[in-house]
């Protein structure tokens, strides 16, 4: 079994910063890509940022220049540094592990439980 556990969410004023962390644990052999998604009330879940095992990254346009995703492959941990936060960044942020290969040789996609980020104006 593989678990993804997020931490670092909270309440912050507009212009402030937060750092999210997501640690994957369990019977992991490898993880292709890790990413952050978010879902605001009444909206669909959207990709915020992702990073593959080689370090290549991608961001949704609305966070480019403000958010930075990074990864520690040895710890199976992904981070999201969020700066210059805006009220429209308010959402539940979910960690995703894409094409996680377990030690049993199976490949799955995993999600964390989500962490709330609230940005006040």
């Amino acid at each position: 079994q593989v678990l993804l556990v997020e931490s670092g969410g909270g309440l912050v004023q507009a212009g402030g910063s937060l750092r999210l962390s997501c640690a994957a644990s369990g019977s992991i052999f490898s993880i292709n890509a890790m990413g952050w998604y978010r879902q605001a009330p009444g909206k669909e879940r959207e990709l915020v940022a992702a990073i593959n095992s080689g370090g290549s990254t991608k961001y949704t346009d609305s966070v480019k220049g403000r958010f930075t995703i990074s990864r520690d492959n040895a710890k199976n941990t992904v981070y999201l540094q969020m700066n210059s936060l805006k009220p429209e960044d308010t959402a539940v942020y979910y960690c995703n592990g894409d094409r996680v290969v377990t030690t049993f040789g199976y490949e799955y996609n995993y999600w964390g439980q989500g962490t709330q980020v609230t940005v006040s104006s």
Side-chain angles (χ1 to χ4, degrees):
Q1 185 176 354
V2 174
L3 292 175
L4 273 61
V5 179
E6 302 111 331
S7 61
L11 173 64
V12 64
Q13 289 188 333
S17 298
L18 284 174
R19 187 185 192 223
L20 304 183
S21 300
C22 171
S25 63
S27 304
I28 299 170
F29 177 76
S30 65
I31 304 176
N32 175 54
M34 300 186 78
W36 291 95
Y37 288 70
R38 66 186 179 187
Q39 187 166 20
K43 295 188 177 181
E44 294 186 354
R45 189 174 297 189
E46 66 169 349
L47 174 67
V48 176
I51 183 168
N52 66 17
S53 57
S56 296
T57 60
K58 61 179 177 181
Y59 298 90
T60 191
D61 286 346
S62 62
V63 308
K64 288 180 180 177
R66 299 188 298 122
F67 291 10
T68 302
I69 190 169
S70 60
R71 177 174 173 174
D72 185 333
N73 289 331
K75 296 181 179 180
N76 289 325
T77 299
V78 64
Y79 307 95
L80 185 67
Q81 179 65 44
M82 305 185 293
N83 298 329
S84 302
L85 282 161
K86 304 176 181 180
E88 50 263 43
D89 294 318
T90 295
V92 178
Y93 283 69
Y94 296 92
C95 176
N96 173 258
D98 179 53
R99 285 188 282 160
V100 178
V101 180
T102 70
T103 54
F104 302 102
Y106 296 103
E107 188 175 282
Y108 296 108
N109 188 38
Y110 289 96
W111 292 91
Q113 80 284 357
T115 186
Q116 177 70 45
V117 171
T118 302
V119 184
S120 63
S121 58

